[in-house]
Amino acid sequence: MDLKCRKTKCKYNNGFTCKAKSITVSEKTECDTYECDSEKDTRDTSRCMFEEAPAYSPHREKKSLKVGCSATKCLFNENGICIANGLTINAIAENPLCMTYIKQ
């Protein structure tokens, strides 16, 4: 599963890849696993991405990661488990939002 996280202040974020053992997406499509680490680097890599490529960590295998989902009427929510091939958590909002959410 390709699990990209743009919340650079999250304690589980390592090179834009989530390293948490499990992830839970709430009913409101927020990442409940997010934990802020105020000491982490929060550079906005989008400002210099054409000058220098950001360092990304490799993706993780789905069999080693459980993604729970409580998002109502999400196309990828199958009995409380996310069945999407990939997941992206966005950093634009105050709370980390699942950008993979597609309403049924």
Side-chain angles (χ1 to χ4, degrees):
M1 167 178 262
D2 186 24
L3 183 58
K4 294 296 176 202
C5 180
R6 296 180 182 154
K7 277 297 209 188
T8 54
K9 285 192 108 174
C10 182
K11 98 178 208 181
Y12 300 111
N13 188 327
N14 181 2
F16 301 97
T17 299
C18 182
K19 298 298 183 182
K21 290 184 180 181
S22 65
I23 296 171
T24 306
V25 176
S26 75
E27 187 175 328
K28 296 180 181 180
T29 72
E30 296 175 354
C31 179
D32 284 341
T33 310
Y34 170 75
E35 289 186 41
C36 183
D37 183 353
S38 58
E39 295 181 13
K40 288 189 96 169
D41 183 17
T42 59
R43 286 184 298 143
D44 183 1
T45 56
S46 65
R47 293 182 186 265
C48 61
M49 66 188 290
F50 295 111
E51 299 166 11
E52 173 186 343
Y56 290 102
S57 290
H59 74 279
R60 297 179 64 188
E61 296 299 322
K62 185 170 182 156
K63 57 186 161 186
S64 66
L65 176 70
K66 181 181 177 197
V67 180
C69 181
S70 299
T72 54
K73 298 184 180 179
C74 180
L75 181 67
F76 302 112
N77 184 348
E78 188 172 284
N79 299 320
I81 303 293
C82 180
I83 60 167
N85 288 333
L87 193 70
T88 300
I89 304 298
N90 201 352
I92 294 173
E94 175 82 21
N95 298 325
L97 296 175
C98 175
M99 300 307 295
T100 309
Y101 172 82
I102 297 176
K103 191 173 182 178
Q104 285 180 334

